Amino acid sequence: MTPHQERTGPGAVPAQAAFLPAPEGTKKAVTDFLKTLMDQGGLDALLVPVEVPDTPFHAWVMVKKSEVLDKAHPLPPVMSVQGGRALSSLTKHGTPWLHIAAVMRPCEARAAVELAKLKQVRLDNVVLITIDCPGALPLAEYVADPEKGQERYKTVADTWHENEFLRPACARCHRFSLTGLEDGPSEGPAPDDAPASVDIHIGLLGEDQNGILLLPVTPSGAEILKKTGLEADRPTAGWESRVRDLLKKKKEKRQAAHEEFRKDITGLDRFLTVFDPCINCHNCMNVCPVCYCQQCYFDTQTQFCTSSVYMDRARKRGALRFPPDPLLFHLGRMSHMVLSCVSCGACEDACPVSIPVGKVFSWVADETQPAFGYSAGTDRGDPLPLQNFLKEEFCEIETPSACGQAQSTEVKENA
Amino acid sequence: MTQEFKPNLVGYLCNWCSYAGADLAGATKLEIKPTLSVVRVMCSSRVNSNLVLTALAWGADGVLIAGCHPGDCHYEQGNYYARRRFALLKKILESLDLEADRIQLSWISAAEGKRYADIVNDFAEKISRRGPSPLRNHSKI
Ligand code: SF4
Ligand code: SF4
Ligand code: SF4
Ligand code: FES
């Protein structure tokens, strides 16, 4: 068992990237790149969102013919199925004979990395590609008026987070670019074994807006880019500084939002008030990429008791609501998965009664993950906190507190 | 109603250490406040957060998890994992300001009858001072 170390971050912002001109707009350039990948990158297929014919919606499609890629784009106006979940349904039982690339938003790739650690995704034959993400629109609003949504999304794609149309999760997202860039060290060359969670990143925020940057993040990413004949000869410094500027703003925004949340959601009464309208549909769980259990405890009958037990509880309390213990579902789910929460907002997009589930979960994620030196989806090599331990840690939570004691005398080395 | 408040506590005790410690405390007739309902579990790592949360939601004023000292777990590493899970649950409840001080993790060996009695009595006293859990009769629960 290796103890968790200070995370080193991705470190690996490659100094140079390939450049693809975009005379007809970045969307077209991205599509062209996907086609080149498909035709020359030595891949069997691509997993990417593709327009559903004659509708304003996109679905995850495994594409084998490059013509289909004309209708593909990793940045559809809304997040339908979270990409991590899509990749899980494809690779859960292994991908031994396929070499595919999955192209997705950063928060989706993070979920894929968490799922890989949970053995719900296989990444061994998958090239993970992310793209600078301008955010997505609230699902319900888009469904209610797709035309208006498409109009709005044009603004979203052009204004880089400076607009009022984004989903709440995107409005405070600080992980919209190359994964890990937001909390890793920035300077200096990356060591060869620098942990990274994605292979190739598509930069849209480069100084030259007439093209896109293709960043080879891992050696396998670099190899594939090489196969496509694209030369990585453009410096990435301009792109990086643009991303970092935006990051700084977004981090401040996130911080401010979180201070506000403290007032909105903490304390028993406020917490219960947030979940008052809950209709117990479990949508939030069903769409959450990192809630992967085949049989969730909260969907089983195990949690229910015989009516005499409820009668007894009702008698003692004077009243009891049904189904019982609404709080348990949310807190229980949280205690199982919040260290892997990637703040993607899929849960609140799916809530029929507009409970800000993602706000609550990402707040708790931000509060808890650092305590374990962890950041969900950032580093493939970082073990899941609950599947790992140090022999001496968290002394402050033990009663009596073991802090300051010479614990090592108590710790018996297990052979 | 000036009656003294008697807390309702739930204790998940590991079979191999803390439960035996409780046994020893009883056998040696140490004085223990009768406020703890004991649930015997095979290891502290058996205590899923749902067990703790369910006890709280059902009106327990406090929940104690007790297992073998680090390094002494019958299953070698169970209590290390238990400590991480407990740390997570504690931090969740702290971050949401939800009665985090009503849950406690302690290490008690089979030989520590006295430590068992002290820990249980201290916990009972602490929770008595703290008063009944607001979840007990909350109209929304
Ligand atoms: S949460 Fe971030 S990465 Fe995910 S869709 Fe929104 S802006 Fe993009
Ligand atoms: S809890 Fe919500 S925000 Fe967090 S990973 Fe799940 S769906 Fe995304
Ligand atoms: S989706 Fe909304 S209503 Fe449904 S269980 Fe989750 S919080 Fe409750
Ligand atoms: S057996 Fe006692 S804590 Fe694992």
Side-chain angles (χ1 to χ4, degrees), chain B:
Chain B
M1 274 234 320
T2 45
Q3 244 186 5
E4 201 200 330
F5 162 62
K6 283 208 194 73
N8 201 344
L9 307 176
V10 174
Y12 294 109
L13 309 187
C14 135
N15 173 64
W16 302 99
C17 295
S18 310
Y19 191 81
D23 229 10
L24 183 65
T28 46
K29 302 211 160 38
L30 293 172
E31 201 175 308
I32 303 170
K33 297 212 174 99
T35 48
L36 187 77
S37 307
V38 171
V39 181
R40 172 157 63 160
V41 290
M42 286 313 283
C43 176
S44 58
S45 62
R46 165 65 182 87
V47 185
N48 187 309
S49 51
N50 285 347
L51 290 177
V52 179
L53 292 167
T54 304
L56 290 174
W58 283 43
D61 299 306
V63 180
L64 171 71
I65 301 167
C68 314
H69 286 275
D72 289 344
C73 172
H74 189 71
Y75 309 97
E76 295 189 6
Q77 301 178 331
N79 48 8
Y80 294 122
Y81 291 112
R83 183 168 58 193
R84 282 224 160 178
R85 277 182 223 156
F86 181 82
L88 173 59
L89 186 57
K90 185 107 180 156
K91 289 189 191 304
I92 289 174
L93 296 181
E94 275 169 3
S95 69
L96 291 169
D97 190 16
L98 293 179
E99 310 287 317
D101 52 347
R102 292 182 186 274
I103 63 174
Q104 176 170 320
L105 174 73
S106 298
W107 309 127
I108 306 165
S109 82
E112 294 176 322
K114 174 77 170 67
R115 181 174 164 104
Y116 176 82
D118 289 347
I119 282 175
V120 172
N121 287 338
D122 288 351
F123 189 44
E125 204 188 302
K126 174 182 155 189
I127 302 294
S128 301
R129 263 184 275 123
R130 190 74 172 65
S133 161
L135 279 81
R136 247 201 211 201
N137 291 309
H138 201 287
S139 61
K140 285 184 178 172
I141 293 175

Side-chain angles (χ1 to χ4, degrees), chain A residues 1 4 266-269 271-273 276 297-298 305 309 313 317 321 325-328 331-332 334-336 338-339 363-364 367-368 371-372 385-394 396-400 407 410-412 414, chain B residues 48-55 57-59 69-73 76-77 80-99 103-107 115 119 126 134-141:
Chain A
M1 186 70 50
H4 77 253
T266 63
L268 183 62
D269 288 327
F271 185 76
L272 287 167
T273 304
D276 265 345
Y297 172 81
F298 300 102
C305 304
V309 172
R313 275 178 75 193
R317 302 171 46 100
R321 73 185 263 178
D325 309 315
L327 176 93
L328 259 187
L331 283 179
M334 188 181 281
S335 67
H336 289 169
V338 80
L339 291 176
W363 150 271
V364 177
E367 293 281 302
T368 52
F372 293 84
L386 295 185
Q387 292 181 6
N388 191 29
F389 62 81
L390 289 178
K391 287 190 173 174
E392 291 178 26
E393 60 178 356
F394 295 119
E396 73 285 358
I397 62 156
E398 300 172 357
T399 310
Q407 264 191 334
E410 275 177 22
V411 175
K412 195 170 65 186
N414 289 313
Chain B
N48 187 309
S49 51
N50 285 347
L51 290 177
V52 179
L53 292 167
T54 304
W58 283 43
H69 286 275
D72 289 344
C73 172
E76 295 189 6
Q77 301 178 331
Y80 294 122
Y81 291 112
R83 183 168 58 193
R84 282 224 160 178
R85 277 182 223 156
F86 181 82
L88 173 59
L89 186 57
K90 185 107 180 156
K91 289 189 191 304
I92 289 174
L93 296 181
E94 275 169 3
S95 69
L96 291 169
D97 190 16
L98 293 179
E99 310 287 317
I103 63 174
Q104 176 170 320
L105 174 73
S106 298
W107 309 127
R115 181 174 164 104
I119 282 175
K126 174 182 155 189
L135 279 81
R136 247 201 211 201
N137 291 309
H138 201 287
S139 61
K140 285 184 178 172
I141 293 175

Side-chain angles (χ1 to χ4, degrees), chain A residues 57-239:
Chain A
F57 302 107
H58 285 69
W60 286 95
V61 175
M62 186 159 76
V63 181
K64 295 200 58 127
K65 275 200 210 131
S66 69
E67 306 93 86
V68 181
L69 291 171
D70 283 329
K71 298 278 176 200
H73 196 58
L75 297 171
V78 290
M79 186 183 287
S80 50
V81 171
Q82 220 270 9
R85 204 167 248 279
L87 188 60
S88 174
S89 50
L90 173 61
T91 66
K92 189 169 178 168
H93 301 292
T95 56
W97 47 271
L98 273 178
H99 192 204
I100 66 166
V103 196
M104 45 181 73
R105 298 179 133 108
C107 61
E108 297 178 304
R110 280 175 178 275
V113 167
E114 287 304 291
L115 287 168
K117 296 180 191 181
L118 293 160
K119 309 224 172 355
Q120 304 301 309
V121 155
R122 291 276 299 269
L123 287 175
D124 27 341
N125 249 340
V126 177
V127 182
L128 213 46
I129 302 177
T130 48
I131 182 164
D132 284 342
C133 175
L137 300 172
L139 188 58
E141 276 176 28
Y142 185 79
V143 173
D145 190 344
E147 229 166 90
K148 189 158 124 207
Q150 280 167 337
E151 216 32 65
R152 283 184 170 181
Y153 192 63
K154 281 193 196 124
T155 313
V156 166
D158 288 342
T159 54
W160 287 98
H161 298 259
E162 303 284 350
N163 63 78
E164 70 231 317
F165 303 135
L166 294 176
R167 305 181 305 156
C170 301
R172 56 170 189 273
C173 172
H174 63 312
R175 289 171 171 157
F176 54 84
S177 186
L178 176 58
T179 294
L181 210 144
E182 68 288 346
D183 29 33
S186 49
E187 309 300 331
D192 284 347
D193 59 347
S197 74
V198 302
D199 298 300
I200 296 173
H201 181 78
I202 306 174
L204 302 182
L205 277 163
E207 65 253 83
D208 189 347
Q209 299 284 302
N210 293 320
I212 60 171
L213 284 174
L214 307 160
L215 287 82
V217 186
T218 62
S220 69
E223 199 178 307
I224 286 172
L225 277 185
K226 204 180 278 169
K227 273 192 205 152
T228 60
L230 291 163
E231 202 69 52
D233 54 4
R234 285 276 173 133
T236 52
W239 167 82

